Amino acid sequence: MKVAFTLNGQAVAWDGPPATRLVAALRDGLGLTGTKVGCDAGDCGACTVLLDGKQVCGCLMPMAQVAGRSIETVEGLANDRLSDLQESFLAHGAAQCGICTPGMLMAAHELLQKTPSPSRAEVEEALGGVLCRCTGYSKIVDAVLAAKQPLTKVEATSGAAVGARLARVDGEPKVSGREAFGADRVPADALWVRVVRSPHARARFELGDLSALRGRFTVLTAADVPFNGYGIYPDIKDQPVLADGQVRYRGEAVLALVGDRDAVMAVRDAEIPIRWTPERPLFGVDAPRAAGAPLVQADKPGNLLLDGGVRRGDAEAAFRACAAVAEGTFETAFVEHAYIEPEAGWARRVGDRLEIHASTQTPYMDRDEVASVMRLRPDQVRIVPTACGGGFGGKLDLSVQPLIALAAWKLGKPVALVYSRPESMAASTKRHPARIAARFGCDAQGKLVACDVTATFDTGAYASWGPTVANRVPVHAMGPYAVPNVLTWGEAFFSNGPPAGAFRGFGVPQAAIAHEAMMDELADKLGIDRLEFRHRNALRVGDTTASGQKLMHSAGLAACLEALRPHWQKALAEPRGGGAKRRGVGIGCMWYGIGNTSMSNPSTMRVGLARDGALTLYSGAVDIGQGSNTIMLQIAADALGLPVAQFTLVAGDTDLTADAGKTSASRQTFVSGKAAELAGLDLRRQILRLANAGEGASLSLDGATLRVSDGATVRTIDLASSGPLMGEGTFDPPTTPLDQNGQGVPYASYAFAAQMAEVEVDIELGTVKVLRMVAAHDVGKAINPTLVEGQIEGGIAQGLGLALMEEYIPGRTENLHDYLIPTVGDMPAIEVILIEDREPLGPSGAKGVGEPGLVPTAPAILGAIHHATGVRVRRVPVLPHRLREAIVAEKGTTR
Ligand code: FES
Ligand code: FES
């Protein structure tokens, strides 16, 4: 059927089946990939376009209904320059990963056409159908409100980039729709992979006669995988690319079909001859430990992945002398990353090498893992990261990479794989569910004396990042406080749940829920203000941590609490309400070790000056939306002494950049940023030596001519003859291994934060509305305050989801309709306060902030619920029925 319509003001004719969805026609038929697909089911709004001036979901709109009508997409917003709205998004830092940005822009565009000066409520209403997982919405709403008069763009001159609110250097493609995510630049001749997945959490299976399928497609099974095991740790390659006769979780990959896209996608699971023998699955942390429980992994007795702890002083003896003791057990659920971009990518064989273009947080690890699976040398694999539409830890594990690699290698053709939303949610890793038993004691003055915490994690079917979580949590489980007698323990058990992996915080957010509730209870028992109690116990410079590490510098928790104090006192003085609606205020604190726990995690960066004067930062750090592309340039530019605007950036490509490690553990600013600083300084030293100039000389670059001004003397370097020059920097944070008692230096630096939440609880309905958050974060130095605020606001949104709404249940919440994440309407007003307690090891004093933004949020909200209701909820998310039940259980009535 031919469909004629107007697209961004131009008449177009499209030819295809009338039921084809508009977003598919735009992306696949008309080549406009600015409009994104996050769910293909009307839940996320990533596909939002305007139909006759009104926002619609392109994934729901059949082309038959488009005939004769007008469609506007993100590609139509800019003419010869970006629109004011797009400029405003850039200036406000409203696009982080950028995958939701086209949909947001179109929803806002509709509003601004009708209402040029909208109220905040009108903006929130207009954006209500578009989900953003990165930003916390605050800067998006600000950008729309200011669209009539966009902020003046900040330009940084030489030496003034660090600390400036520069717009992100990769922002223009994100707001124009030109950014290429994993599904956006698949070659037209690519074959597609369709993965068949297990409907059972635990089962044996046999493949039947595949000859009919083999007549139509290339069929890949476990037998086709050269080395059928992968995993994060070099000694734990326990996850098969394709299951071999046994599945351990619902959603596990069993078999793959490769062929023409429409044909493979049309195959139904029922057509695949698989004989299943389901077995009783193990769920939770008790069943795997029960006597006689079957083993999830045959070589892991008791289903134990790993355990270990921290022991300092004599906690048991110290408890006996405490004036007050608080005790409680807390439980958390599987939590889904819900990045708006599902896993996607494509691969091709180039001679005896593989080239993989995919959305990832860790190109070098992907390279080595794919090489291992394929039994190739690492230098035979090139990873070219696409833009990453959100990761949050979920794109640290392999997803599409091994299957597209295998198929492309076998077939010699490009091969693509794009997960559907349910596939993404069923197959990918989750936040570890935890049960945390905590006991804390203090003296009569409110000084902490002892703590005993056991954190038990459900690590799901495969190890993934389980060891990292089990190692990190005991170090953090006493919270950011000076406690002389400590006993903490972390343990992770296999189950038939989805593999639990890395998710913003590596278990620390779960532990923080427990230790912060204990702080509140002890403060209440002694009649001490909750903020003051934390202030008395805050780790400070000169204190020794439970791991025996003396903090030498940059421990700004007390300063964070001081910054919160006036907000806290004001909130406490406000009326608490009566009847069904009760108000409360709560506080949460955290600390977070930056980088890997007691492990080397180096980063190398290079800055090059070519003979033609091209100045390039070669950065292996992947920007997953947090802004590392911009941060690295700001740091390198100031170290070298030339403006950011003169740099080009080569990022992530394993053939062109050095290994900068993973984008995880809040490490890129601290570790890779330091490497970028050292690289800039190295190049600067070379230049000064060439010019025989002193340290204070200033540089300017004009084409291939580099001028070095040293006082009144100006020397000129002709790069055509003196170049190319290359500066290199490597940084590996100084840590030491932990002994059997968890003593050592697990991290070179720690971030600290305190957040305050004000909530309103409807005690009859059990609903909680978070009204306001104030977040004070010690970041060492804010290299780019706009980006830092964005990380904190986005972390707060995910922390709110953790506290109040998010619970992944296999088979029941495998879409964004049943699995709820915060919308713009769920978000409170947020005030961010940046504390800069300089970290001497970091670049310009900076630490990390990616994960810290989330950690204190749930504890603050839970504390506020307790303040409002008098009820301490011990299981998150605090869904309305759970809160009602807790209120009735504790008070006998909601009245
Ligand atoms: S892709 Fe259309 S609403 Fe999600
Ligand atoms: S910026 Fe909105 S989802 Fe990433």
Side-chain angles (χ1 to χ4, degrees), residues 13 17 146 226 233 252 265 267 296 304 320 390 530 537 621 652 692 730 757 803 870:
Y233 282 77
E252 182 158 3
M265 293 306 164
V267 177
V296 177
L304 176 68
R320 288 194 285 275
R530 288 172 282 159
N537 289 290
N692 200 19
T730 297

Side-chain angles (χ1 to χ4, degrees), residues 198-215:
S198 170
H200 304 289
R202 181 186 186 95
R204 304 267 165 186
F205 70 91
E206 282 175 40
L207 298 175
D209 180 2
L210 298 172
S211 52
L213 284 171
R214 289 197 198 280

Side-chain angles (χ1 to χ4, degrees), residues 164-183:
R165 290 181 179 270
L166 293 191
R168 35 184 330 139
V169 296
D170 51 6
E172 192 277 339
K174 294 178 193 292
V175 300
S176 65
R178 289 193 301 105
E179 186 73 291
F181 294 88

Side-chain angles (χ1 to χ4, degrees), residues 335-688:
V335 183
E336 158 67 23
H337 301 85
Y339 22 75
I340 302 300
E341 181 205 28
E343 294 79 351
W346 61 278
R348 68 178 169 192
R349 182 172 182 166
V350 183
D352 70 344
R353 299 187 78 210
L354 269 167
E355 191 177 291
I356 296 174
H357 300 249
S359 180
T360 180
Q361 296 181 233
T362 175
Y364 269 85
M365 193 189 263
D366 285 2
R367 183 197 67 170
D368 295 351
E369 284 272 68
V370 168
S372 164
V373 162
M374 293 298 299
R375 291 217 187 276
L376 298 172
R377 296 186 315 274
D379 66 7
Q380 286 181 273
V381 179
R382 177 183 187 183
I383 303 291
V384 187
T386 64
C388 179
F392 319 115
K395 289 178 183 166
L396 288 166
D397 293 68
L398 289 183
S399 59
V400 300
Q401 296 91 337
L403 284 173
I404 55 178
L406 179 59
W409 187 258
K410 265 179 152 332
L411 299 171
K413 290 185 176 160
V415 176
L417 173 52
V418 176
Y419 282 3
S420 68
R421 174 57 56 182
E423 183 175 25
S424 169
M425 294 181 77
S428 65
T429 61
K430 304 285 171 277
R431 181 183 294 289
H432 281 73
R435 178 185 296 156
I436 299 178
R439 185 162 59 123
F440 281 71
C442 63
D443 65 19
Q445 286 70 48
K447 284 289 282 180
L448 289 168
V449 173
C451 89
D452 180 353
V453 179
T454 296
T456 305
F457 293 100
D458 175 355
T459 206
Y462 296 104
S464 182
W465 293 86
T468 312
V469 169
N471 278 333
R472 180 176 278 267
V473 167
V475 175
H476 289 80
M478 71 298 301
Y481 308 111
V483 192
N485 301 286
V486 168
L487 199 54
T488 61
W489 190 252
E491 53 191 15
F493 293 91
F494 289 104
S495 74
N496 294 115
F503 189 168
R504 214 167 184 174
F506 286 115
V508 176
Q510 295 95 307
I513 287 171
H515 64 63
E516 289 307 280
M518 297 296 94
M519 296 306 108
D520 282 354
E521 290 192 13
L522 288 176
D524 288 350
K525 283 186 183 207
L526 292 179
I528 301 174
D529 172 82
R530 288 172 282 159
L531 184 148
E532 174 57 27
F533 185 88
R534 288 166 167 87
H535 192 267
R536 278 181 203 176
N537 289 290
L539 278 168
R540 291 169 165 84
V541 170
D543 284 340
T544 300
T545 69
S547 294
Q549 178 181 1
K550 186 164 183 183
L551 297 179
M552 305 302 287
H553 31 66
S554 194
L557 179 59
C560 291
L561 288 164
E562 285 301 343
L564 280 193
R565 200 186 288 270
H567 299 274
W568 174 253
Q569 287 170 343
K570 185 161 175 288
L572 282 178
E574 280 166 9
R576 305 262 302 278
K581 301 275 181 77
R582 310 282 171 85
R583 290 196 172 199
V585 54
I587 189 166
C589 292
M590 75 103 225
W591 66 325
Y592 197 80
I594 305 298
N596 293 0
T597 309
S598 287
M599 279 168 64
S600 171
N601 61 138
S603 183
T604 297
M605 292 275 172
R606 295 189 183 119
V607 182
L609 248 180
R611 287 204 169 94
D612 63 358
L615 175 61
T616 307
L617 173 65
Y618 297 91
S619 164
V622 176
D623 193 326
I624 59 172
Q626 86 282 26
S628 60
N629 284 344
T630 310
I631 297 285
M632 297 305 144
L633 281 175
Q634 288 181 262
I635 293 167
D638 278 10
L640 174 61
L642 285 170
V644 169
Q646 290 197 295
F647 278 77
T648 55
L649 177 71
V650 173
D653 185 331
T654 55
D655 270 13
L656 303 178
T657 66
D659 188 357
K662 302 171 283 289
T663 296
S664 73
S666 303
R667 61 180 290 284
Q668 290 297 20
T669 296
F670 180 58
V671 185
S672 296
K674 186 67 183 181
E677 183 179 79
L678 294 172
L681 290 172
D682 183 34
L683 179 57
R684 180 178 174 83
R685 253 191 311 274
Q686 295 175 40
I687 293 167
L688 297 183

